[in-house]
Short mmCIF file of all heavy atoms in Angstrom, two decimals:
data_model
loop_
_atom_site.label_atom_id
_atom_site.label_comp_id
_atom_site.label_asym_id
_atom_site.label_seq_id
_atom_site.Cartn_x
_atom_site.Cartn_y
_atom_site.Cartn_z
N HIS A 109 115.71 76.00 123.25
CA HIS A 109 114.48 75.48 123.88
C HIS A 109 114.78 74.41 124.92
O HIS A 109 113.82 73.75 125.41
CB HIS A 109 113.52 74.94 122.79
CG HIS A 109 112.89 76.03 122.04
ND1 HIS A 109 113.46 76.64 120.95
CD2 HIS A 109 111.70 76.71 122.24
CE1 HIS A 109 112.68 77.60 120.53
NE2 HIS A 109 111.62 77.65 121.28
N ARG A 110 116.05 74.22 125.18
CA ARG A 110 116.47 73.29 126.23
C ARG A 110 115.96 71.88 126.02
O ARG A 110 115.49 71.20 126.91
CB ARG A 110 116.08 73.81 127.60
CG ARG A 110 116.71 75.16 127.89
CD ARG A 110 116.28 75.69 129.21
NE ARG A 110 116.84 74.79 130.24
CZ ARG A 110 117.24 75.19 131.41
NH1 ARG A 110 117.13 76.43 131.75
NH2 ARG A 110 117.73 74.34 132.28
N ILE A 111 116.04 71.43 124.75
CA ILE A 111 115.70 70.06 124.42
C ILE A 111 116.88 69.49 123.60
O ILE A 111 117.66 70.24 123.07
CB ILE A 111 114.39 69.97 123.61
CG1 ILE A 111 114.47 70.74 122.30
CG2 ILE A 111 113.22 70.41 124.45
CD1 ILE A 111 113.24 70.56 121.41
N SER A 112 116.93 68.19 123.48
CA SER A 112 117.99 67.58 122.73
C SER A 112 117.71 67.74 121.22
O SER A 112 116.55 67.89 120.81
CB SER A 112 118.14 66.10 123.07
OG SER A 112 117.02 65.36 122.55
N LEU A 113 118.74 67.64 120.44
CA LEU A 113 118.59 67.73 118.99
C LEU A 113 117.70 66.60 118.49
O LEU A 113 116.84 66.79 117.65
CB LEU A 113 119.96 67.67 118.31
CG LEU A 113 119.98 67.71 116.78
CD1 LEU A 113 119.30 68.93 116.23
CD2 LEU A 113 121.42 67.61 116.28
N ARG A 114 117.90 65.41 119.04
CA ARG A 114 117.12 64.25 118.63
C ARG A 114 115.62 64.47 118.96
O ARG A 114 114.75 64.11 118.17
CB ARG A 114 117.63 62.97 119.28
CG ARG A 114 116.84 61.73 118.90
CD ARG A 114 117.01 61.43 117.39
NE ARG A 114 116.06 60.40 117.03
CZ ARG A 114 115.15 60.54 116.06
NH1 ARG A 114 115.08 61.62 115.33
NH2 ARG A 114 114.34 59.55 115.80
N HIS A 115 115.35 65.06 120.12
CA HIS A 115 113.96 65.32 120.50
C HIS A 115 113.34 66.34 119.54
O HIS A 115 112.18 66.17 119.09
CB HIS A 115 113.88 65.81 121.95
CG HIS A 115 112.47 66.01 122.45
ND1 HIS A 115 111.55 64.97 122.53
CD2 HIS A 115 111.82 67.10 122.85
CE1 HIS A 115 110.40 65.44 122.96
NE2 HIS A 115 110.53 66.74 123.18
N LEU A 116 114.08 67.36 119.17
CA LEU A 116 113.60 68.36 118.21
C LEU A 116 113.25 67.64 116.89
O LEU A 116 112.19 67.89 116.30
CB LEU A 116 114.65 69.42 117.99
CG LEU A 116 114.29 70.48 116.93
CD1 LEU A 116 114.65 71.85 117.44
CD2 LEU A 116 114.98 70.20 115.61
N GLN A 117 114.14 66.77 116.45
CA GLN A 117 113.90 66.07 115.18
C GLN A 117 112.65 65.19 115.27
O GLN A 117 111.85 65.12 114.33
CB GLN A 117 115.13 65.20 114.81
CG GLN A 117 116.32 66.06 114.45
CD GLN A 117 117.62 65.28 114.43
OE1 GLN A 117 117.74 64.22 115.03
NE2 GLN A 117 118.60 65.82 113.73
N ARG A 118 112.43 64.51 116.43
CA ARG A 118 111.25 63.68 116.62
C ARG A 118 109.98 64.52 116.62
O ARG A 118 108.95 64.10 116.07
CB ARG A 118 111.34 62.90 117.92
CG ARG A 118 112.11 61.59 117.81
CD ARG A 118 111.88 60.72 119.06
NE ARG A 118 112.25 61.38 120.28
CZ ARG A 118 113.41 61.26 120.90
NH1 ARG A 118 114.35 60.48 120.41
NH2 ARG A 118 113.65 61.90 122.02
N ILE A 119 110.04 65.66 117.22
CA ILE A 119 108.85 66.56 117.27
C ILE A 119 108.41 66.92 115.87
O ILE A 119 107.24 66.85 115.51
CB ILE A 119 109.16 67.85 118.09
CG1 ILE A 119 109.41 67.50 119.57
CG2 ILE A 119 108.04 68.86 117.95
CD1 ILE A 119 108.21 66.98 120.31
N PHE A 120 109.35 67.31 115.01
CA PHE A 120 109.01 67.67 113.65
C PHE A 120 108.57 66.42 112.87
O PHE A 120 107.62 66.47 112.08
CB PHE A 120 110.18 68.38 112.94
CG PHE A 120 110.25 69.83 113.28
CD1 PHE A 120 111.14 70.27 114.26
CD2 PHE A 120 109.42 70.76 112.68
CE1 PHE A 120 111.22 71.63 114.59
CE2 PHE A 120 109.46 72.11 113.03
CZ PHE A 120 110.37 72.54 113.98
N GLN A 121 109.23 65.30 113.12
CA GLN A 121 108.88 64.04 112.43
C GLN A 121 107.44 63.63 112.75
O GLN A 121 106.73 63.13 111.88
CB GLN A 121 109.87 62.95 112.85
CG GLN A 121 109.71 61.65 112.12
CD GLN A 121 110.74 60.63 112.57
OE1 GLN A 121 111.28 60.70 113.66
NE2 GLN A 121 111.02 59.66 111.70
N MET A 122 107.01 63.85 113.99
CA MET A 122 105.63 63.54 114.37
C MET A 122 104.61 64.32 113.55
O MET A 122 103.46 63.91 113.42
CB MET A 122 105.42 63.83 115.87
CG MET A 122 106.11 62.87 116.79
SD MET A 122 106.05 63.38 118.50
CE MET A 122 104.29 63.55 118.80
N HIS A 123 105.03 65.43 112.97
CA HIS A 123 104.16 66.26 112.14
C HIS A 123 104.47 66.11 110.65
O HIS A 123 104.04 66.94 109.84
CB HIS A 123 104.27 67.73 112.58
CG HIS A 123 103.62 67.94 113.94
ND1 HIS A 123 104.29 67.70 115.11
CD2 HIS A 123 102.38 68.32 114.25
CE1 HIS A 123 103.46 67.96 116.11
NE2 HIS A 123 102.31 68.32 115.63
N GLY A 124 105.23 65.05 110.32
CA GLY A 124 105.51 64.76 108.90
C GLY A 124 106.48 65.72 108.25
O GLY A 124 106.46 65.89 107.04
N LEU A 125 107.30 66.38 109.04
CA LEU A 125 108.24 67.38 108.54
C LEU A 125 109.65 67.15 109.08
O LEU A 125 109.80 66.46 110.08
CB LEU A 125 107.83 68.79 108.97
CG LEU A 125 106.55 69.37 108.43
CD1 LEU A 125 106.17 70.62 109.20
CD2 LEU A 125 106.67 69.67 106.95
N THR A 126 110.58 67.77 108.44
CA THR A 126 111.92 67.95 109.06
C THR A 126 112.02 69.40 109.46
O THR A 126 111.24 70.25 109.01
CB THR A 126 113.03 67.61 108.07
OG1 THR A 126 113.02 68.56 107.01
CG2 THR A 126 112.92 66.18 107.51
N PHE A 127 113.01 69.69 110.28
CA PHE A 127 113.26 71.10 110.64
C PHE A 127 113.49 71.94 109.39
O PHE A 127 112.91 73.02 109.26
CB PHE A 127 114.52 71.16 111.55
CG PHE A 127 114.94 72.55 111.91
CD1 PHE A 127 114.42 73.17 113.03
CD2 PHE A 127 115.88 73.22 111.13
CE1 PHE A 127 114.82 74.46 113.37
CE2 PHE A 127 116.27 74.50 111.44
CZ PHE A 127 115.74 75.14 112.58
N GLY A 128 114.29 71.42 108.48
CA GLY A 128 114.61 72.15 107.24
C GLY A 128 113.38 72.43 106.38
O GLY A 128 113.22 73.51 105.83
N GLN A 129 112.47 71.47 106.32
CA GLN A 129 111.25 71.67 105.54
C GLN A 129 110.37 72.72 106.16
O GLN A 129 109.83 73.59 105.47
CB GLN A 129 110.47 70.36 105.42
CG GLN A 129 111.11 69.33 104.54
CD GLN A 129 110.45 67.96 104.67
OE1 GLN A 129 109.87 67.63 105.69
NE2 GLN A 129 110.59 67.16 103.64
N ALA A 130 110.23 72.67 107.50
CA ALA A 130 109.40 73.67 108.17
C ALA A 130 109.99 75.07 107.99
O ALA A 130 109.26 76.01 107.69
CB ALA A 130 109.31 73.32 109.65
N LEU A 131 111.28 75.20 108.15
CA LEU A 131 111.93 76.51 108.00
C LEU A 131 111.84 76.98 106.56
O LEU A 131 111.54 78.16 106.33
CB LEU A 131 113.39 76.42 108.45
CG LEU A 131 114.21 77.70 108.35
CD1 LEU A 131 113.56 78.82 109.15
CD2 LEU A 131 115.64 77.46 108.81
N MET A 132 112.06 76.10 105.61
CA MET A 132 111.98 76.47 104.19
C MET A 132 110.57 76.95 103.83
O MET A 132 110.40 77.92 103.12
CB MET A 132 112.39 75.30 103.29
CG MET A 132 112.43 75.69 101.81
SD MET A 132 113.60 77.03 101.42
CE MET A 132 115.16 76.23 101.76
N GLU A 133 109.56 76.26 104.34
CA GLU A 133 108.18 76.68 104.03
C GLU A 133 107.92 78.09 104.56
O GLU A 133 107.33 78.94 103.86
CB GLU A 133 107.19 75.71 104.64
CG GLU A 133 105.77 76.05 104.27
CD GLU A 133 104.76 74.98 104.64
OE1 GLU A 133 105.13 73.80 104.69
OE2 GLU A 133 103.61 75.34 104.89
N ILE A 134 108.35 78.37 105.77
CA ILE A 134 108.17 79.71 106.34
C ILE A 134 108.92 80.73 105.52
O ILE A 134 108.38 81.80 105.17
CB ILE A 134 108.62 79.73 107.79
CG1 ILE A 134 107.66 78.89 108.66
CG2 ILE A 134 108.70 81.18 108.34
CD1 ILE A 134 108.17 78.57 110.06
N ARG A 135 110.14 80.43 105.17
CA ARG A 135 110.96 81.37 104.37
C ARG A 135 110.34 81.62 102.99
O ARG A 135 110.29 82.74 102.51
CB ARG A 135 112.40 80.86 104.24
CG ARG A 135 113.19 81.02 105.52
CD ARG A 135 114.56 80.46 105.41
NE ARG A 135 115.34 80.84 106.60
CZ ARG A 135 116.57 80.37 106.86
NH1 ARG A 135 117.14 79.54 106.05
NH2 ARG A 135 117.18 80.77 107.95
N MET A 136 109.83 80.56 102.38
CA MET A 136 109.24 80.70 101.02
C MET A 136 107.95 81.54 101.11
O MET A 136 107.72 82.37 100.25
CB MET A 136 108.92 79.33 100.43
CG MET A 136 110.13 78.56 99.98
SD MET A 136 110.93 79.31 98.52
CE MET A 136 112.33 80.12 99.27
N MET A 137 107.13 81.28 102.13
CA MET A 137 105.90 82.05 102.23
C MET A 137 106.18 83.54 102.49
O MET A 137 105.49 84.40 101.98
CB MET A 137 104.98 81.45 103.30
CG MET A 137 104.55 80.00 102.99
SD MET A 137 103.98 79.71 101.29
CE MET A 137 102.36 80.44 101.35
N GLU A 138 107.20 83.80 103.31
CA GLU A 138 107.58 85.19 103.56
C GLU A 138 108.15 85.83 102.31
O GLU A 138 107.85 86.98 102.01
CB GLU A 138 108.58 85.28 104.70
CG GLU A 138 107.95 85.11 106.07
CD GLU A 138 106.91 86.20 106.34
OE1 GLU A 138 107.18 87.40 106.14
OE2 GLU A 138 105.79 85.82 106.77
N ALA A 139 108.95 85.08 101.55
CA ALA A 139 109.49 85.63 100.30
C ALA A 139 108.37 85.95 99.34
O ALA A 139 108.36 87.00 98.69
CB ALA A 139 110.45 84.60 99.68
N GLN A 140 107.40 85.04 99.22
CA GLN A 140 106.24 85.29 98.36
C GLN A 140 105.51 86.55 98.82
O GLN A 140 105.15 87.38 97.99
CB GLN A 140 105.31 84.10 98.42
CG GLN A 140 104.03 84.36 97.61
CD GLN A 140 102.89 83.43 97.95
OE1 GLN A 140 102.84 82.90 99.08
NE2 GLN A 140 102.01 83.20 97.05
N ARG A 141 105.31 86.69 100.12
CA ARG A 141 104.62 87.86 100.66
C ARG A 141 105.38 89.13 100.26
O ARG A 141 104.78 90.10 99.81
CB ARG A 141 104.48 87.74 102.16
CG ARG A 141 103.67 88.83 102.80
CD ARG A 141 103.61 88.72 104.30
NE ARG A 141 104.89 88.87 104.95
CZ ARG A 141 105.50 90.07 105.12
NH1 ARG A 141 104.95 91.17 104.70
NH2 ARG A 141 106.67 90.14 105.72
N TRP A 142 106.70 89.13 100.44
CA TRP A 142 107.50 90.31 100.12
C TRP A 142 107.43 90.61 98.60
O TRP A 142 107.24 91.78 98.21
CB TRP A 142 108.99 90.06 100.45
CG TRP A 142 109.36 90.34 101.86
CD1 TRP A 142 109.49 89.41 102.87
CD2 TRP A 142 109.66 91.60 102.45
NE1 TRP A 142 109.85 90.02 104.02
CE2 TRP A 142 109.96 91.39 103.81
CE3 TRP A 142 109.70 92.89 101.95
CZ2 TRP A 142 110.33 92.38 104.67
CZ3 TRP A 142 110.05 93.91 102.83
CH2 TRP A 142 110.34 93.68 104.15
N LEU A 143 107.62 89.59 97.77
CA LEU A 143 107.69 89.80 96.34
C LEU A 143 106.38 90.21 95.72
O LEU A 143 106.37 90.91 94.68
CB LEU A 143 108.25 88.57 95.64
CG LEU A 143 109.66 88.20 95.95
CD1 LEU A 143 110.01 86.82 95.41
CD2 LEU A 143 110.63 89.24 95.39
N THR A 144 105.28 89.79 96.28
CA THR A 144 103.99 90.05 95.64
C THR A 144 103.26 91.26 96.27
O THR A 144 102.20 91.64 95.78
CB THR A 144 103.05 88.82 95.73
OG1 THR A 144 102.87 88.47 97.09
CG2 THR A 144 103.65 87.66 94.96
N ALA A 145 103.83 91.86 97.27
CA ALA A 145 103.23 93.03 97.92
C ALA A 145 103.44 94.25 97.05
O ALA A 145 104.48 94.44 96.43
CB ALA A 145 103.82 93.23 99.28
N GLN A 146 102.46 95.09 97.05
CA GLN A 146 102.53 96.36 96.29
C GLN A 146 103.74 97.18 96.78
O GLN A 146 104.41 97.82 96.00
CB GLN A 146 101.23 97.16 96.47
CG GLN A 146 101.22 98.49 95.77
CD GLN A 146 101.27 98.34 94.25
OE1 GLN A 146 100.72 97.40 93.71
NE2 GLN A 146 101.90 99.27 93.57
N GLU A 147 104.01 97.10 98.09
CA GLU A 147 105.13 97.86 98.65
C GLU A 147 106.46 97.47 98.04
O GLU A 147 107.37 98.28 97.97
CB GLU A 147 105.18 97.69 100.18
CG GLU A 147 103.99 98.22 100.94
CD GLU A 147 102.84 97.22 100.99
OE1 GLU A 147 103.09 96.00 101.09
OE2 GLU A 147 101.69 97.66 100.93
N PHE A 148 106.57 96.19 97.64
CA PHE A 148 107.84 95.72 97.05
C PHE A 148 108.13 96.51 95.78
O PHE A 148 109.25 96.97 95.58
CB PHE A 148 107.75 94.21 96.76
CG PHE A 148 108.95 93.71 95.99
CD1 PHE A 148 110.19 93.55 96.62
CD2 PHE A 148 108.90 93.42 94.63
CE1 PHE A 148 111.30 93.10 95.93
CE2 PHE A 148 109.98 92.97 93.93
CZ PHE A 148 111.19 92.82 94.60
N ARG A 149 107.15 96.65 94.94
CA ARG A 149 107.36 97.34 93.67
C ARG A 149 107.69 98.83 93.88
O ARG A 149 108.38 99.45 93.10
CB ARG A 149 106.14 97.17 92.76
CG ARG A 149 106.05 95.73 92.25
CD ARG A 149 104.91 95.52 91.24
NE ARG A 149 103.58 95.47 91.85
CZ ARG A 149 103.14 94.45 92.57
NH1 ARG A 149 103.90 93.47 92.84
NH2 ARG A 149 101.90 94.47 93.04
N CYS A 150 107.19 99.38 94.95
CA CYS A 150 107.40 100.81 95.21
C CYS A 150 108.64 101.05 96.09
O CYS A 150 109.15 102.16 96.15
CB CYS A 150 106.19 101.39 95.93
SG CYS A 150 104.68 101.28 94.98
#
Side-chain angles (χ1 to χ4, degrees):
H109 287 85
R110 300 178 66 146
I111 60 174
S112 71
L113 177 59
R114 180 64 191 124
H115 185 61
L116 177 136
Q117 292 166 339
R118 274 193 304 264
I119 294 293
F120 280 99
Q121 186 179 23
M122 288 171 57
H123 289 84
L125 294 168
T126 65
F127 175 89
Q129 289 169 334
L131 180 58
M132 184 60 67
E133 183 170 332
I134 291 167
R135 286 178 171 172
M136 288 291 103
M137 298 314 284
E138 283 300 311
Q140 175 199 27
R141 186 183 65 76
W142 276 99
L143 292 170
T144 59
Q146 179 66 33
E147 297 84 36
F148 173 75
R149 289 184 285 288
C150 300

